[in-house]
Amino acid sequence: EDSVYYDTYTFAASKGHGYQFQFENADHVTHFDGVLELVTINPNTGEEQLVALSDDEAPNNYSRLTFIAPVTGTFTLRAAGYDRSDTAAYQLVAKACDSALPQITGDLASTSQTLGASDCVLDFPEFFNDDSTHVKLYSLEIGPNETRTITVTSSDFNPGFQLYGPAWGVPCYYDYQGCGKAIAVVQDGNTVTATITVSGNENCSEQGCSFSNWPGEYTLAVGSVNTDQAGAFTLQVSSLEPPPIRLVGPESLHEYTPTL
């Protein structure tokens, strides 16, 4: 639609801290398609900047937005319907982590970590079948054309994790996986692993274009796939070596001198 009804909320955020907003219908009966927008003022331009967008990331077409504040300052949250017919009594829940999230900027060797009851609570994580669970949150920086493999192992509980795309400094479009949506989910046994390649390319087809896997600061949430389980685990983040050069077409018929 050209316009929709919305409510506005402002809040103060601290750099490096994690925040989550859950936006849902108050009675959980009436159909309601909610949308969350997170905006702030770009200090370089003085203009409003869209930081993150959430639509259908939570069950029943509700919205769930998770992000790490890139700067300390005031942010604005808009709670709206997908179109003008989506009006209803709603519930908005806001949660925050009390301390700054550990930041992973490159490879991380297998490191001992602990999941406990004092860690942040994540509502409806993709790897968990109940309503909420404690998770350990990390900030993971992934640059252009980089590939990261994340591995979590625990003998104390069955681990799971998910990765939220970056929500800062890049455009946010619907169908863009970087807007608060889980892009890597695993849950099986005592070791779970997933690989993500970041490019920021625009993928186009006859049906249209979509954006995915932009470079930036991702949010990694590690938890247990079972209720009230906690304990020790190891976390490893490694880079994938570039694939070997393949010579195809006319170039393969000529002498090739590689440069190291």
Side-chain angles (χ1 to χ4, degrees):
E1 295 287 344
D2 292 334
S3 59
V4 294
Y5 302 107
Y6 67 91
D7 286 337
T8 299
Y9 303 87
T10 59
F11 66 98
S14 299
K15 181 179 179 179
H17 289 231
Y19 299 86
Q20 184 187 71
F21 302 93
Q22 182 87 13
F23 180 41
E24 57 191 34
N25 195 338
D27 59 17
H28 296 276
V29 176
T30 307
H31 173 78
F32 176 70
D33 192 354
V35 178
L36 286 176
E37 286 186 349
L38 183 66
V39 299
T40 191
I41 300 299
N42 188 318
N44 298 320
T45 64
E47 298 179 351
E48 182 179 273
Q49 177 177 348
L50 180 63
V51 179
L53 171 72
S54 174
D55 179 32
D56 299 342
E57 273 72 45
N60 301 320
N61 295 120
Y62 300 151
S63 295
R64 178 181 59 226
L65 190 152
T66 302
F67 87 113
I68 299 173
V71 294
T72 296
T74 300
F75 290 78
T76 299
L77 187 72
R78 295 194 187 110
Y82 186 76
D83 58 40
R84 290 190 187 183
S85 64
D86 287 312
T87 56
Y90 64 86
Q91 176 177 301
L92 179 64
V93 178
K95 297 183 178 181
C97 292
D98 293 333
S99 57
L101 276 60
Q103 188 174 42
I104 304 172
T105 57
D107 288 358
L108 177 68
S110 183
T111 305
S112 297
Q113 308 284 332
T114 302
L115 176 67
S118 61
D119 287 313
C120 293
V121 174
L122 185 64
D123 286 336
F124 299 104
E126 300 291 336
F127 59 83
F128 190 68
N129 295 324
D130 209 334
D131 57 352
S132 63
T133 186
H134 292 278
V135 294
K136 184 76 74 173
L137 293 175
Y138 303 86
S139 169
L140 177 58
E141 187 75 22
I142 307 180
N145 300 314
E146 292 183 348
T147 297
R148 293 286 186 271
T149 297
I150 303 164
T151 303
V152 179
T153 301
S154 176
S155 58
D156 293 339
F157 59 90
N158 297 111
F161 69 80
Q162 65 191 83
L163 194 65
Y164 293 98
W168 180 258
V170 296
C172 239
Y173 302 97
Y174 188 65
D175 274 344
Y176 158 48
Q177 285 184 312
C179 291
K181 191 171 185 178
I183 59 175
V185 180
V186 287
Q187 52 170 0
D188 186 23
N190 293 101
T191 297
V192 290
T193 185
T195 298
I196 175 176
T197 298
V198 166
S199 60
N201 290 332
E202 180 180 3
N203 301 316
C204 296
S205 65
E206 294 181 357
Q207 287 71 37
C209 298
S210 63
F211 299 78
S212 62
N213 297 0
W214 284 89
E217 189 175 31
Y218 285 73
T219 304
L220 173 64
V222 179
S224 169
V225 301
N226 300 312
T227 305
D228 296 330
Q229 285 194 340
F233 68 93
T234 60
L235 171 64
Q236 180 178 355
V237 178
S238 58
S239 299
L240 184 66
E241 294 296 329
I245 297 174
R246 295 179 64 241
L247 299 179
V248 295
E251 290 79 6
S252 62
L253 301 178
H254 303 282
E255 181 178 357
Y256 177 72
T257 304
T259 301
L260 298 179

